[in-house]
């Protein structure tokens, strides 16, 4: 690929990421990050049949994490006037968990994709230290900002050792991360050349879908300064504890660390990528079974951070139940965005995986699986995951019983007179039999909604409480189904209206047997409902 050197360039800052370098250099050249990625060979221009080439509107996170091959590295170094070593130091492949063979045929590409798609290995959104981003006072850093460090893309980094502060993950004004788009991208508003590298790139307004893309005005950005943030105070003992944990974790994945010991899972050595994968699975079980492991949390402040995170995950789980059924990632799989919650979770995970043998940890892991009340289906998916190590698989395996094959019945589940059972709990308590009754009394697992409703409808003599619960659950299910149908109709109409040659309202009305005004009003109502649902999710 023939490239021309850019008229001006910048020297990379220490530990600077490729994303941060692109933000700083594009601002200096007064062009958008998307245009700079095309000029330097990081991204190809978008070409469509019969249309001139144009800039990409989104930059995938992997494009600014590593170079595809040696030729892409050479093109970038030549166009930016950097040496090959300087360009190579910008990519995330310097970390051992991501240091995989060059992209090519066979298993290397699969391994690379697995590493960058594991959310506990690499995240598109970057945390940051406000004081580090403000720069060191030199003319270059005063004008373009400090270094967006590569480490900040690693979930296991949550403390700035230089300033002894917890990293920040969200803008103080809009509350968005540095990768607030869906799907997550390396740079928000990639075609906007006006934003400084230290300003929030989140979009804070929406444009109605019925407006053609070519006629839509540029929506405003948040543009808040990311260095004007005060990190929450933390006790000195917690700071030291977290910094020690972070240093220990980075020894496994960061180059140049004085360590010769590989990471271990329950006393057995594993490679760095497998260690982070087992960490992700264990962390998911901790969240799903919380507060079962509160006793392992070293302080109340860290436990409170996990409390807040679990409440957030429960809201996300309820809001994304329909999306999860369509194949989206479970909300329990990703690491916490908040640095303090992530640090607290890793403290407990490190204690569990640091036990000397699988036998010493089996009871604890079995307890976590049994008490994963928030989402038992996800807990079972974690237990049977194909990505777990053989050591973790041994712990997850149910221990065979010896002697009597039938365990003694569990003690009756304590119930308080001041908190009577309601809704699905009432139906489960009344109609669960066999293993379902055992799971309810022992672990509080509820019957599937359809099974509970079918049992209640088949009851020849239901009590008034059962009848009220049946009516309430049936109406809630009907509302949920109607909302999902409305959303599906809205998506179908949006696709028809967003074609290069949009289908007219008259054609759509004739196809479904409605008037033009009627189908247009129905679409506007559905659009209002979807917008309100999205705002409640955010």
């Amino acid at each position: 690929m023939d490239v021309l050197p850019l008229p001006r360039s910048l020297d990379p800052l220490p530990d600077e990421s490729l994303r941060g370098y692109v933000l700083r250099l594009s601002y200096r050249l007064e062009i958008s990050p998307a245009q700079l990625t095309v000029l330097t060979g990081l991204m190809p221009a978008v070409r469509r049949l019969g249309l001139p080439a144009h800039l990409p509107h989104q930059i995938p996170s992997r494009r600014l994490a590593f170079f595809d091959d040696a030729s892409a590295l050479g093109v970038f170094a030549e166009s930016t006037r950097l040496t090959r070593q300087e360009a190579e130091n910008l990519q995330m492949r310097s970390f051992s968990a991501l240091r995989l063979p060059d992209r090519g045929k066979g298993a290397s590409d699969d391994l690379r994709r697995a590493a960058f798609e594991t959310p506990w290995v690499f995240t598109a959104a970057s945390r940051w230290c406000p004081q580090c981003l403000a720069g060191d006072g030199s003319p270059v850093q005063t004008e373009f900002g400090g270094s967006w460090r590569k480490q900040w893309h690693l979930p296991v980094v949550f403390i700035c050792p230089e300033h002894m502060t917890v990293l920040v993950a969200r803008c103080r004004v809009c509350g968005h991360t540095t990768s607030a788009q869906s799907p997550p991208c390396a740079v928000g508003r990639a075609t906007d050349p006006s934003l400084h590298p230290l300003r929030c790139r989140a979009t804070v307004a929406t444009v109605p879908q019925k407006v053609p893309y070519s006629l839509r005005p540029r929506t405003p950005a948040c543009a808040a300064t990311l260095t004007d943030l005060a990190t929450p105070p933390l006790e000195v003992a917690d700071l030291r504890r977290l910094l020690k944990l972070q240093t220990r974790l980075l020894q496994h994945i960061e180059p140049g660390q004085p360590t010769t010991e590989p990471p271990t899972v329950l006393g057995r050595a594993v490679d760095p990528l497998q260690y982070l994968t087992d960490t992700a699975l264990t962390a998911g079980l901790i969240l799903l079974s919380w507060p079962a492991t509160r006793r392992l949390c070293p302080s109340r402040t860290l436990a409170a951070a996990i409390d807040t995170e679990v409440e957030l995950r429960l809201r996300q789980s309820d809001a994304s139940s329909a999306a999860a059924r369509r194949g989206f990632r479970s909300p329990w799989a990703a690491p916490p965005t908040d640095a303090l919650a992530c640090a607290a979770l890793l403290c407990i995970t490190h204690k569990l995986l640091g036990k000397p043998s699988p036998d010493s940890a089996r009871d604890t892991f079995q307890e976590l699986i049994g008490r994963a009340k928030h989402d038992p289906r996800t807990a079972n998916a974690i237990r049977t995951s194909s990505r777990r190590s053989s050591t973790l698989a041994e712990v997850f395996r149910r221990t065979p019983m010896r002697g009597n094959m039938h365990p003694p019945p569990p003690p009756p589940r304590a119930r308080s007179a001041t908190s009577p059972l309601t809704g699905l709990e009432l139906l489960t308590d009344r109609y669960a039999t066999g293993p379902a009754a055992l799971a309810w009394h022992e672990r509080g697992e509820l019957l599937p909604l359809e099974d509970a409703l079918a049992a209640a409808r088949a009851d020849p003599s239901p009590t008034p409480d059962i009848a009220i619960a049946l009516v309430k659950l049936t109406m809630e299910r009907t509302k949920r189904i109607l909302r999902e149908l409305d959303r599906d109709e809205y998506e179908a109409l949006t696709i028809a209206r967003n074609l290069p040659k949009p289908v007219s309202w008259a054609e759509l009305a004739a196809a479904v047997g409605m008037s033009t005004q009627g189908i247009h009003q129905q679409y506007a109502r559905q659009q209002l409902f979807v917008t309100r649902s999205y705002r409640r999710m955010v």
Side-chain angles (χ1 to χ4, degrees):
M1 177 180 179
D2 296 330
V3 295
L4 295 175
L6 297 172
R8 289 173 291 177
S9 187
L10 283 172
D11 290 332
L13 299 176
D15 196 36
E16 186 172 23
S17 66
L18 184 56
R19 173 187 178 275
Y21 184 78
V22 167
L23 288 176
R24 293 196 309 121
L25 183 56
S26 64
Y27 187 75
R28 187 190 184 194
L29 297 175
E30 299 181 354
I31 60 178
S32 68
Q35 185 175 355
L36 180 63
T37 58
V38 172
L39 294 176
T40 56
L42 292 175
M43 285 279 292
V46 178
R47 301 180 183 275
R48 294 180 179 175
L49 185 63
L51 296 175
H54 60 84
L55 297 177
H57 295 289
Q58 294 181 340
I59 305 176
S61 57
R62 291 179 62 206
R63 290 286 186 175
L64 296 189
F66 61 91
F67 298 103
D68 285 346
D69 47 36
S71 62
L73 172 63
V75 168
F76 181 83
E78 181 180 353
S79 60
T80 55
R81 304 172 185 265
L82 301 179
T83 65
R84 291 182 67 90
Q85 186 61 46
E86 287 176 329
E88 188 172 0
N89 289 340
L90 293 171
Q91 59 182 343
M92 295 291 298
R93 276 182 56 195
S94 57
F95 296 98
S96 57
L98 303 173
R99 196 185 302 127
L100 301 170
D102 285 336
R103 189 176 183 179
K105 298 180 180 180
S108 62
D109 190 47
D110 296 335
L111 288 173
R112 185 189 304 277
R113 183 176 294 109
F116 279 92
E117 286 182 356
T118 302
W120 278 87
V121 175
F122 170 82
T123 57
S126 172
R127 297 171 182 150
W128 69 91
C129 170
Q131 298 178 64
C132 290
L133 275 189
D136 59 4
S138 63
V140 172
Q141 296 195 30
T142 300
E143 184 175 0
F144 303 112
S147 170
W148 284 92
R149 300 182 185 274
K150 291 186 291 185
Q151 286 186 349
W152 295 343
H153 284 280
L154 303 176
V156 297
V157 175
F158 36 78
I159 295 286
C160 175
E162 181 178 350
H163 300 103
M164 288 301 289
T165 57
V166 180
L167 298 183
V168 181
R170 295 185 181 274
C171 171
R172 61 176 175 84
V173 176
C174 67
H176 287 126
T177 65
T178 59
S179 180
Q181 292 178 287
S182 181
C185 297
V187 176
R189 301 175 66 88
T191 58
D192 191 341
S194 63
L195 289 173
H196 191 274
L198 303 188
R199 292 192 175 273
C200 177
R201 306 184 73 90
T203 300
V204 295
T206 58
V207 176
Q209 293 288 336
K210 61 182 179 180
V211 178
Y213 189 86
S214 59
L215 300 180
R216 295 179 189 176
R218 180 177 289 275
T219 52
C222 172
T225 304
L226 299 179
T227 55
D228 295 341
L229 289 168
T231 56
L234 198 62
E235 295 181 2
V236 177
D238 283 338
L239 273 175
R240 291 177 177 174
R241 184 184 294 110
L242 296 182
L243 183 59
K244 182 179 179 180
L245 172 64
Q246 176 177 296
T247 304
R248 181 70 179 272
L249 294 173
L250 282 178
Q251 287 177 350
H252 301 321
I253 61 176
E254 189 176 25
Q257 291 292 330
T259 180
T260 57
E261 298 180 0
T264 59
V265 172
L266 302 177
R268 300 176 185 175
V270 295
D271 62 83
L273 178 58
Q274 186 60 62
Y275 178 78
L276 292 179
T277 303
D278 286 354
T279 296
L281 297 174
T282 306
L285 281 180
I286 293 172
L287 288 174
L288 288 166
S289 61
W290 188 259
T293 52
R294 180 185 288 271
R295 65 185 184 278
L296 300 178
C297 205
S299 72
R300 293 183 178 180
T301 303
L302 299 180
I306 300 183
D307 287 337
T308 304
E309 181 66 25
V310 170
E311 292 177 2
L312 176 63
R313 299 291 178 106
L314 287 173
R315 292 196 297 269
Q316 291 176 346
S317 180
D318 293 340
S320 61
S321 58
R325 287 193 295 273
R326 296 188 184 107
F328 289 85
R329 190 189 300 274
S330 167
W332 302 95
T337 301
D338 180 69
L340 189 59
C342 190
L345 194 57
L346 284 171
C347 281
I348 303 176
T349 304
H350 187 66
K351 287 183 180 179
L352 293 178
L353 296 182
K355 293 193 174 186
S357 66
D359 292 337
S360 62
R362 180 174 286 106
D363 292 342
T364 304
F365 276 93
Q366 291 296 328
E367 178 188 3
L368 295 184
I369 295 174
R371 299 184 63 178
K373 58 183 182 299
H374 300 311
D375 192 345
R377 182 176 298 179
T378 300
N380 187 62
I382 291 175
R383 186 181 64 82
T384 59
S385 172
S386 59
R387 293 187 176 184
R388 69 196 190 281
S389 64
S390 58
T391 307
L392 209 59
E394 180 180 342
V395 172
F396 285 164
R397 192 178 302 119
R398 294 186 177 93
T399 306
M401 300 180 60
R402 297 178 181 178
N404 184 14
M405 296 302 294
H406 300 283
R413 192 167 182 263
R415 301 184 179 89
S416 173
T418 60
S419 56
L421 300 176
T422 58
L424 190 54
E425 291 182 347
L426 184 63
L427 299 186
T428 302
D429 189 67
R430 174 69 180 272
Y431 299 112
T433 59
L438 178 64
W440 161 244
H441 288 286
E442 186 178 25
R443 298 186 298 273
E445 293 182 9
L446 300 174
L447 282 175
L449 178 60
E450 296 296 333
D451 295 348
L453 293 179
R457 286 193 294 265
D459 191 349
S461 57
T463 62
D465 290 343
I466 294 292
I468 292 174
L470 176 62
V471 171
K472 181 180 178 181
L473 291 173
T474 303
M475 294 183 69
E476 289 176 351
R477 184 193 60 172
T478 302
K479 290 179 181 179
R480 184 171 63 255
I481 293 174
L482 291 176
R483 286 196 298 267
E484 293 176 6
L485 292 176
D486 273 347
R487 189 180 294 109
D488 292 341
E489 290 181 11
Y490 168 75
E491 292 174 358
L493 289 172
T494 301
I495 291 173
R497 292 293 299 167
N498 286 345
L499 293 175
K501 184 180 179 181
V503 182
S504 67
W505 289 113
E507 293 175 314
L508 292 173
V512 298
M514 296 176 61
S515 65
T516 303
Q517 182 179 4
I519 194 172
H520 195 218
Q521 290 177 348
Q522 182 171 331
Y523 179 77
R525 176 183 60 80
Q526 293 167 345
Q527 184 181 35
L528 180 62
F529 165 76
V530 171
T531 303
R532 287 177 176 174
S533 300
Y534 174 78
R535 288 175 179 172
R536 284 196 294 269
M537 282 179 56
V538 174

